[in-house]
Amino acid sequence: MSKKFLIVGGVAGGASTAARLRRLSEEDEIIMFERGPHVSFSNCCLPYHLSGVVEDAESLVLMNPNKFLSQYNIEARVNNEVVSIDRHKKEVIVKNLATGEEYVEAYDKLILSPGAKPIVPPINGIEKVNTFTVRNVVDIDKLNKFVKGLKSKNVSVIGGGFIGVEVAENLREAGYNVTLIEAMSQIMKPFDYDMIQILHKELYDHGIRLIISDKVSAFEKDTVVLESGKKVETEAVVMAIGVVPETELAVKAGLEIGETGAIKVDQNYKTSDENIYAVGDAIEVYNPLIGKMTKLPLAGPAQKQAREVADHIFGMLVLNTGFIGSSVIKCFDYNAASTGLNEGMIKAYNLDIKYEVVKVIPGDKVGLMPGCEPLHFKLLFEIPTGRILGAQAIGKGNVDKRIDVIATAIKFGAKINDLRDLELCYAPPFGTAKDVVNYAGYVGSNLLNGVFKQVRESDVRELIENGAYIIDVREKSEYKLSHIIGAKNIPLSELRDRTNEIPKDKPVYLHCRSAQRSYNAAMALKHLGFENIYNISGGFMGICFYEYFNDETTGREKIVTDYNFL
């Protein structure tokens, strides 16, 4: 006997649910409601219309109602909003936004995929500026057409998350004067403070005025007023502070809302109503690394949830292992990817986890090959189990490949030692015989086993202020080019002949370009009887990236004679 499935929301979660339901049955009636004019559009590609990478706004629309009907026999009703649910009658009331007419549709199963909406707080004077949000094709088309008519070309983006950074980048690529304002001390929370300094530098170097640790307090005529008293002249303001789950329909229907403020679902994505499911940005999901429910507004998880809902409706086994959160972003010449936990999350969730950090910066391919670039890689693992907790990678090459490996390792419960044994593809144009993932496994295993001790590049400024004994083991020519102020130069090639210059009665901190030669130096000194030796992770290059943006924007005293990012 055929059934009737109704789906609220026609983007990633909704459209994927509809398509999977159809693949499992040709008999059932499937109707998808979308209150906007488009279904199945490329949400993540929206910012790239601003720079012309995606030339035509309509090309962002992947499917239209006619194609859904002809190819899948799915009825997609655009400009139709589901305004209420009668759970007892198993009916929804739908409003045709074009005609104002309301009508009723019955269902056997109802799937909610309303997504999330941009946060637009009621800031004083907001009516005095031209504000925009980026949620759908209509939004991005409206923004793009407006900025093309600007006289000053001054645009402000408020919020440094994925949408904020991508909008800022694409507006800058299109030639606009862009100010990116973030109330927190950093952009992009999936990355730790030390890693994100690379992207802070990249935005700054490409002419974006990046303002951090400063909140918008009010608006004046074509002006953003910050809590610090700064004023930013602007003709357009893009609100990218974040999103909140669309739960209004669920709340009105009496469905249970979870601890995060999103719709509560069980392991099969079923709500508190036996006949209603929910997927996508509107629901909360379980994060097995945190051990709590979280919100995760990403397209990948939404599509996986959609498939599992359809499978469960048809009596198939659903294996819900939770979501650890994996993401990637392009920022001008750099790519940045992350997965799992970072240090900021461990602190924010107050997790009782003892962990160690691996920080390495090898080349992303064989050094002789054109285009070889440093790959900044940070990995967290649990002490003493060696369980991998998360990783971040930033570079100009394939960072996503490396983070995908770590995401897979986490999902399969891998330990730090397992990374050493992974057999990964190798050829000089693509990577090295000992890939950065293997390399991180070796370093992590050494840390786990107490082979050597380390401090972080973020510790160096304080070490210098406290008069720490720092040795630069790079060659003399490298030291002459630029170095840490006050560091003593004892090249690795001369180290064994100059051990009499190294004190044994106090800690000694070693560094090189990227921490590999200094690790060798630390091991040599350890075997020569030195006990208080520390390697500085990230090396001189990591120190330069960590210090640069704050040095340039705050005017503080530098701790290096000059920067070297290569």
Side-chain angles (χ1 to χ4, degrees):
M1 182 177 176
S2 65
K3 293 184 178 181
K4 187 175 182 180
F5 302 126
L6 302 185
I7 300 169
V8 179
V11 193
S16 297
T17 304
R20 178 63 175 170
L21 286 169
R22 177 55 72 220
R23 286 195 296 273
L24 295 176
S25 170
E26 277 295 317
E27 300 176 354
D28 300 315
E29 183 180 2
I30 303 171
I31 304 175
M32 183 167 58
F33 303 96
E34 171 57 50
R35 66 184 174 192
H38 305 106
V39 288
S40 192
F41 58 86
S42 181
N43 202 312
C44 298
C45 283
L46 293 176
Y48 296 94
H49 179 51
L50 299 171
S51 61
V53 171
V54 178
E55 293 185 16
D56 183 11
E58 286 301 314
S59 66
L60 292 162
V61 181
L62 306 177
M63 290 282 286
N64 60 47
N66 290 334
K67 279 190 176 181
F68 263 111
L69 189 59
S70 62
Q71 294 186 8
Y72 297 100
N73 191 25
I74 294 169
E75 186 177 355
R77 298 180 186 173
V78 297
N79 297 311
N80 277 251
E81 181 180 8
V82 175
V83 294
S84 65
I85 304 167
D86 188 326
R87 292 165 51 193
H88 299 292
K89 293 183 178 179
K90 294 177 64 177
E91 294 176 344
V92 297
I93 297 176
V94 187
K95 183 175 183 178
N96 185 321
L97 300 179
T99 65
E101 172 196 4
E102 290 190 352
Y103 60 95
V104 175
E105 288 285 356
Y107 63 83
D108 290 295
K109 299 293 182 183
L110 175 65
I111 300 96
L112 304 180
S113 182
K117 59 185 176 181
I119 298 171
V120 182
I123 301 172
N124 184 40
I126 195 168
E127 72 281 355
K128 298 177 182 178
V129 291
N130 300 298
T131 59
F132 299 85
T133 57
V134 177
R135 183 183 184 185
N136 53 40
V137 178
V138 173
D139 288 346
I140 203 68
D141 189 42
K142 180 182 176 183
L143 172 61
N144 191 48
K145 287 176 178 176
F146 183 84
V147 296
K148 284 183 177 178
L150 297 182
K151 294 179 180 179
S152 69
K153 290 201 168 187
N154 294 333
V155 183
S156 294
V157 180
I158 301 175
F162 284 95
I163 294 295
V165 171
E166 290 171 344
V167 166
E169 176 200 13
N170 282 277
L171 285 170
R172 184 62 189 151
E173 292 280 29
Y176 296 96
N177 306 316
V178 181
T179 300
L180 178 58
I181 303 166
E182 171 54 55
M184 306 299 288
S185 61
Q186 68 167 85
I187 62 169
M188 300 297 300
K189 296 303 288 183
F191 298 88
D192 281 321
Y193 184 81
D194 57 336
M195 291 291 284
I196 209 62
Q197 299 309 317
I198 302 167
L199 296 192
H200 283 180
K201 176 183 183 299
E202 184 71 356
L203 291 167
Y204 179 82
D205 288 350
H206 278 81
I208 287 181
R209 182 186 180 190
L210 175 59
I211 299 174
I212 55 174
S213 301
D214 208 348
K215 188 178 181 181
V216 177
S217 62
F219 294 104
E220 296 175 357
K221 175 62 176 173
D222 293 335
T223 304
V224 182
V225 182
L226 304 179
E227 282 189 345
S228 64
K230 292 179 183 176
K231 293 187 176 183
V232 180
E233 293 184 2
T234 185
E235 290 184 90
V237 175
V238 181
M239 302 296 287
I241 296 172
V243 296
V244 291
E246 285 269 21
T247 59
E248 183 179 353
L249 187 62
V251 170
K252 284 172 58 178
L255 298 178
E256 190 173 350
I257 301 301
E259 59 193 78
T260 67
I263 300 171
K264 183 176 182 179
V265 294
D266 67 8
Q267 69 275 15
N268 300 308
Y269 304 103
K270 189 184 295 182
T271 69
S272 53
D273 187 300
E274 181 72 16
N275 298 300
I276 303 176
Y277 294 79
V279 299
D281 298 356
I283 71 169
E284 61 181 17
V285 297
Y286 180 72
N287 186 317
L289 295 171
I290 297 173
K292 296 181 179 181
M293 304 303 289
T294 62
K295 292 178 286 188
L296 190 65
L298 295 172
Q303 294 196 9
K304 293 176 179 66
Q305 295 155 18
R307 181 183 179 92
E308 293 185 352
V309 162
D311 287 354
H312 187 260
I313 288 174
F314 278 87
M316 300 169 67
L317 177 65
V318 172
L319 183 61
N320 185 347
T321 60
F323 296 89
I324 62 174
S326 300
S327 57
V328 65
I329 189 171
K330 173 187 172 296
C331 182
F332 293 107
D333 295 331
Y334 276 85
N335 306 312
S338 70
T339 191
L341 298 181
N342 61 33
E343 292 188 273
M345 292 171 66
I346 291 174
K347 294 173 184 174
Y349 285 101
N350 196 27
L351 301 180
D352 186 19
I353 298 177
K354 185 179 180 182
Y355 66 91
E356 183 59 272
V357 174
V358 174
K359 187 75 170 287
V360 294
I361 317 177
D364 59 4
K365 60 189 69 172
V366 172
L368 293 173
M369 300 304 295
C372 176
E373 296 283 352
L375 198 162
H376 300 253
F377 192 86
K378 179 178 182 177
L379 183 140
L380 277 63
F381 66 93
E382 187 179 48
I383 299 294
T385 66
R387 178 173 64 115
I388 301 168
L389 301 173
Q392 303 152 58
I394 303 179
K396 296 183 178 180
N398 295 327
V399 299
D400 54 332
K401 166 188 171 181
R402 276 72 183 208
I403 293 301
D404 284 344
V405 172
I406 300 300
T408 304
I410 292 174
K411 278 286 190 177
F412 292 161
K415 306 293 180 65
I416 190 69
N417 290 338
D418 296 320
L419 299 185
R420 302 179 307 176
D421 301 324
L422 291 178
E423 297 181 48
L424 304 174
C425 294
Y426 160 62
F430 299 99
T432 56
K434 183 169 66 179
D435 189 80
V436 61
V437 172
N438 301 125
Y439 189 21
Y442 286 117
V443 174
S445 297
N446 285 337
L447 288 169
L448 182 63
N449 295 325
V451 173
F452 75 102
K453 296 179 288 187
Q454 69 172 6
V455 294
R456 310 271 291 280
E457 71 270 51
S458 55
D459 299 324
V460 173
R461 179 173 284 271
E462 184 177 354
L463 289 174
I464 292 171
E465 291 171 352
N466 293 332
Y469 195 91
I470 299 174
I471 299 177
D472 185 335
V473 304
R474 297 177 301 159
E475 294 304 308
K476 291 178 180 178
S477 59
E478 296 174 272
Y479 179 86
K480 185 178 180 181
L481 186 65
S482 56
H483 58 267
I484 294 173
I485 295 172
K488 184 178 182 64
N489 184 215
I490 305 179
L492 178 60
S493 57
E494 302 175 11
L495 183 73
R496 291 166 181 82
D497 297 325
R498 296 175 59 181
T499 54
N500 61 313
E501 301 176 36
I502 303 173
K504 287 189 173 182
D505 58 349
K506 60 181 177 180
V508 175
Y509 302 90
L510 309 179
H511 83 85
C512 60
R513 169 186 170 272
S514 63
Q516 186 167 0
R517 279 176 288 173
S518 53
Y519 162 71
N520 289 323
M523 294 303 295
L525 291 175
K526 177 182 178 180
H527 294 309
L528 290 171
F530 290 82
E531 297 180 353
N532 228 348
I533 302 297
Y534 295 83
N535 192 24
I536 300 175
S537 69
F540 189 70
M541 182 167 30
I543 294 166
C544 289
F545 273 103
Y546 183 77
E547 294 285 322
Y548 176 81
F549 175 75
N550 286 318
D551 288 353
E552 291 292 300
T553 56
T554 66
R556 71 182 182 185
E557 187 175 349
K558 295 191 297 185
I559 62 171
V560 296
T561 58
D562 198 4
Y563 307 102
N564 190 336
F565 304 108
L566 300 174

